[in-house]
């Protein structure tokens, strides 16, 4: 029962999976401190915005949310307002000047320190925590959104310097967790009944390069490939995924491991950003479009049915129509199962934002529309290979639009719906015959439902 003095919290999360994973850990810390989740932010005594600044529109969204709650604080003086994540790191104290109602501004590296920071707030301080720190291991159990699939951070930060990107500024240098800590977390998840684990890193192929230990030939002992072998046999876990891959560091050894290890799903998220070599150079990506194509060819040699998804940016400074068409050509040739596209957005503190060859908003949005049109056509084509096939679907939840159906994902990460009762099927791997296809999702009929054991 909730007592009147029970303090309630609400977290709104923007941005990528790293932020979602951080939010789950911060929620765990708050619950440990005695806070209770409030679905409605307007009933909460503590509100935390875990923010994203990858593009300008992501950043602006935060200010409009924040404005509303800052106003509410004038009527409810004991409301605690927190901005965490990437906008917090980017803006730091500037945020306090802009929104003086804020109690705590904390960068992503400080997520695991939330308790200590809040104690200082409750002592009457306004706190800014944005200095670079060594990320401490989790001490609290995260409050995870799903009880079927879970994220596990393996490397924080990014040492790349892509000329458009704020991530290295806001997430700091690469910090790998030890294989032992990662395995221990996955073992615990296996015991709790989690079936699918996604290993997370902004540049996951960099995993381990900051850890001590290498062979006499200088080979790093702690690569992502080694990590996959090391955690693969954890009991209870049926599927392993990882994201995000960087074409510069993606190896054939990793592809072979994925083909060999049965739990690793045949899905690769490898952003290419542009299909034009000059632009790739201007972006400082460290590979050519030919190399990207070779990676995809190699994946398809080992795993002909593998799903490929990626990210791309259109309207990068100086992008000509011909260079944009090289990106379209790559999209046409590869046939992505999914492609996240974005118009280039100049970000503070990044080199490309200062260049004088910026394109107009009209050109950027026209190119975005044209690429999205092609992405839809290609994704629909890719979906067709599923028609009539039998796919293994891991059931995650009810279909919110049709409660007679459940939803889950194929190994290739296609969202799939079929008739069934979530109470019976949650967390089950079900064989489903695909009867309907759409660009980004499928519908099917279960052909082999695991039976509840009757005595
Ligand atoms: N670490 C990943 C991506 C991280 S950010 C990688 O290296 O690919 C997620 C995506 O946001 C990027 O892949 C890129 O497509 C997009 N993005 C990053 N900065 C951007 C910017 N300034 N404008 C538009 N899109 C951007
Ligand atoms: Fe950003 Fe590049 Fe690092 Fe990805 S690899 S997070 S795009 S700097
Ligand atoms: Fe956004 Fe930060 Fe992720 S800027 S995309 S939340 S790393």
């Amino acid at each position: 029962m909730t007592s009147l003095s029970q303090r309630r919290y609400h977290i709104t999360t923007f941005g990528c999976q790293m932020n979602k994973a951080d939010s789950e850990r911060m929620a765990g810390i708050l619950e440990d401190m005695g806070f209770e989740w409030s679905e409605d932010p307007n009933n909460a005594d503590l509100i935390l915005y875990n923010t994203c600044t990858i593009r300008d529109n992501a950043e602006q969204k935060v200010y409009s949310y924040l404005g509303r709650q800052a106003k509410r604080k004038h009527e409810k003086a004991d409301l605690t307002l927190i901005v965490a994540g990437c906008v917090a790191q980017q803006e730091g104290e500037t945020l306090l000047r802009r929104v003086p109602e804020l109690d705590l501004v904390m960068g992503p590296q400080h997520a695991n320190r939330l308790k200590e920071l809040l104690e200082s707030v409750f002592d009457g301080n306004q706190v800014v925590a944005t200095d670079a720190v060594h990320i401490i291991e989790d001490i609290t159990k995260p409050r995870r959104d799903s009880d079927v699939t879970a994220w596990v951070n393996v490397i924080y930060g990014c040492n790349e310097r892509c000329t458009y990107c704020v991530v290295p500024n806001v997430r700091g240098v690469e910090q790998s967790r030890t294989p032992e800590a990662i395995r221990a977390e996955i073992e615990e998840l296996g015991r709790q009944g989690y079936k699918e684990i996604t290993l997370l890193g902004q540049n996951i192929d960099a995993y381990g390069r900051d850890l001590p230990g290498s062979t006499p030939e200088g080979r790093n002992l702690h690569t992502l490939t080694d990590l996959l072998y090391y955690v693969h046999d954890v009991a209870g876990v049926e599927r392993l995924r990882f994201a995000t891959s960087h074409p510069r560091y993606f190896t054939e050894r990793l592809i072979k491991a994925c083909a060999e290890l049965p739990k690793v799903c045949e899905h690769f998220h490898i952003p290419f950003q542009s299909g034009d070599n000059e632009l790739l150079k201007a972006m400082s990506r460290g590979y050519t479009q030919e190399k990207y194509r070779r990676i995809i060819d190699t994946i398809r040699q080992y795993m002909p049915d593998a799903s490929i998804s990626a990210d791309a940016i259109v309207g990068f400074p100086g992008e000509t129509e011909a260079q944009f068409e090289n990106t379209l050509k790559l999209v046409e040739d590869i046939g992505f199962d999914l492609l996240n596209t974005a118009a280039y957005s100049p970000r503070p503190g990044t080199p490309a934002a200062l260049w004088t060859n910026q394109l107009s908003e009209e050109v950027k949005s026209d190119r975005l529309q044209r690429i999205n049109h092609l992405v839809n056509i290609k994704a629909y084509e890719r979906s067709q290979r599923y028609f009539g096939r039998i796919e293994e679907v891991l059931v995650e939840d009810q279909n919110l639009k049709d409660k007679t159906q459940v939803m889950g994902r194929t190994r290739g990460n296609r969202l799939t719906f079929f008739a069934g009762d979530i109470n019976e099927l949650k967390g089950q791997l079900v064989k489903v015959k695909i009867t309907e296809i759409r660009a980004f999702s499928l519908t099917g009929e279960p052909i082999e439902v695991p039976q509840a054991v009757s005595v």
Side-chain angles (χ1 to χ4, degrees), residues 41 84 123-124 218 433:
D123 282 345
K433 184 171 176 161

Side-chain angles (χ1 to χ4, degrees), residues 54-55 164-165 202 244 246 271 273 285 311-313 342-345 347:
I54 200 77
R55 288 179 283 275
Y164 50 82
C165 184
Q202 276 296 358
T244 300
H246 195 306
Q273 312 302 0
R285 289 289 289 177
D311 305 343
I313 298 176
Y344 169 72
S345 167
R347 305 308 295 131

Side-chain angles (χ1 to χ4, degrees), residues 258-281:
C258 296
E260 195 177 297
L261 293 170
K263 291 182 187 176
V264 179
C265 293
E266 300 73 25
H267 168 227
F268 298 86
H269 183 68
I270 320 176
F272 62 89
Q273 312 302 0
S274 167
D276 182 84
N277 287 346
E278 264 174 59
L279 278 186
L280 286 170
K281 206 163 182 189

Side-chain angles (χ1 to χ4, degrees), residues 13-20 22 50-55 58 85-87 90 108 165-168 170-171 202 347:
T13 307
F14 305 89
C16 65
Q17 292 165 326
M18 304 319 130
N19 257 17
K20 289 180 186 142
D22 289 347
N50 197 10
T51 60
C52 172
T53 182
I54 200 77
R55 288 179 283 275
C86 297
V87 175
Q90 180 181 274
C165 184
V166 288
V167 171
V170 293
R171 290 260 160 188
Q202 276 296 358
R347 305 308 295 131

Side-chain angles (χ1 to χ4, degrees), residues 31 96 100 116-117 124 132 170 191 208 212 257 270 305 319 349 359 387 412 422:
E31 301 212 344
L96 289 189
E116 181 192 331
L117 298 172
V170 293
R191 278 193 289 273
I270 320 176
D305 193 53
E319 184 187 66
L359 303 188
F387 188 80
I422 189 64

Side-chain angles (χ1 to χ4, degrees), residues 60-308:
Q60 296 315 322
K61 224 190 274 174
V62 177
Y63 294 120
S64 71
Y65 277 60
L66 203 53
R68 259 172 272 152
Q69 290 303 333
K71 220 178 264 167
R72 199 175 134 230
K73 188 158 177 168
H74 294 281
E75 289 130 43
K76 180 179 163 57
D78 66 347
L79 176 65
T80 305
L81 272 183
I82 305 173
V83 176
C86 297
V87 175
Q89 186 64 39
Q90 180 181 274
E91 298 299 315
E93 291 200 5
T94 319
L95 258 178
L96 289 189
R97 285 197 286 277
R98 186 165 175 170
V99 189
E101 292 85 352
L102 276 173
D103 295 289
L104 171 58
V105 175
M106 54 187 287
Q109 292 187 337
H110 295 264
N112 294 359
R113 294 182 60 221
L114 178 59
K115 180 169 185 209
E116 181 192 331
L117 298 172
L118 265 179
E119 279 162 358
S120 177
V121 166
F122 296 142
D123 282 345
N125 301 306
Q126 209 177 18
V127 180
V128 178
T130 51
D131 45 327
V133 290
H134 178 73
I135 296 170
I136 52 167
E137 267 302 323
D138 309 355
I139 27 162
T140 315
K141 248 175 65 180
R143 176 194 188 267
R144 302 193 190 256
D145 282 345
S146 162
D147 37 28
V148 179
T149 63
W151 290 302
V152 171
N153 292 94
V154 306
I155 177 168
Y156 301 100
C158 177
N159 287 6
E160 299 301 302
R161 286 277 153 194
C162 304
T163 51
Y164 50 82
C165 184
V166 288
V167 171
N169 301 348
V170 293
R171 290 260 160 188
V173 294
E174 288 165 5
Q175 297 188 39
S176 299
R177 293 175 69 199
T178 64
E180 292 76 21
I182 295 164
R183 186 174 165 113
E185 183 173 353
I186 299 176
E187 282 177 349
E188 179 59 25
L189 289 165
R191 278 193 289 273
Q192 290 168 17
Y194 283 87
K195 296 287 162 48
E196 182 180 295
I197 305 294
T198 303
L199 307 178
L200 283 185
Q202 276 296 358
N203 171 6
I204 200 160
D205 300 275
Y207 175 74
R209 62 183 179 185
D210 58 313
L211 292 176
S214 57
T215 62
E217 310 82 61
R219 190 172 76 75
N220 179 3
L221 270 179
H222 303 297
T223 64
L224 174 62
T225 310
D226 298 302
L227 184 67
L228 287 176
Y229 281 107
Y230 182 62
V231 302
H232 190 265
D233 65 345
V234 170
V237 173
E238 306 274 359
R239 285 178 171 186
L240 284 172
R241 301 184 188 277
F242 55 88
T244 300
S245 301
H246 195 306
R248 187 178 202 166
Y249 304 103
F250 202 84
T251 62
E252 185 161 355
R253 190 168 164 258
L254 175 65
I255 300 174
K256 271 191 202 154
C258 296
E260 195 177 297
L261 293 170
K263 291 182 187 176
V264 179
C265 293
E266 300 73 25
H267 168 227
F268 298 86
H269 183 68
I270 320 176
F272 62 89
Q273 312 302 0
S274 167
D276 182 84
N277 287 346
E278 264 174 59
L279 278 186
L280 286 170
K281 206 163 182 189
M283 291 174 166
S284 287
R285 289 289 289 177
Y287 55 88
T288 58
Q289 59 98 8
E290 290 84 0
K291 174 166 181 193
Y292 188 82
R293 287 171 192 263
R294 278 198 301 275
I295 292 172
I296 306 302
D297 283 348
T298 312
I299 291 175
R300 287 180 170 159
Q301 268 163 31
Y302 284 93
M303 289 160 274
D305 193 53
S307 295
I308 312 287

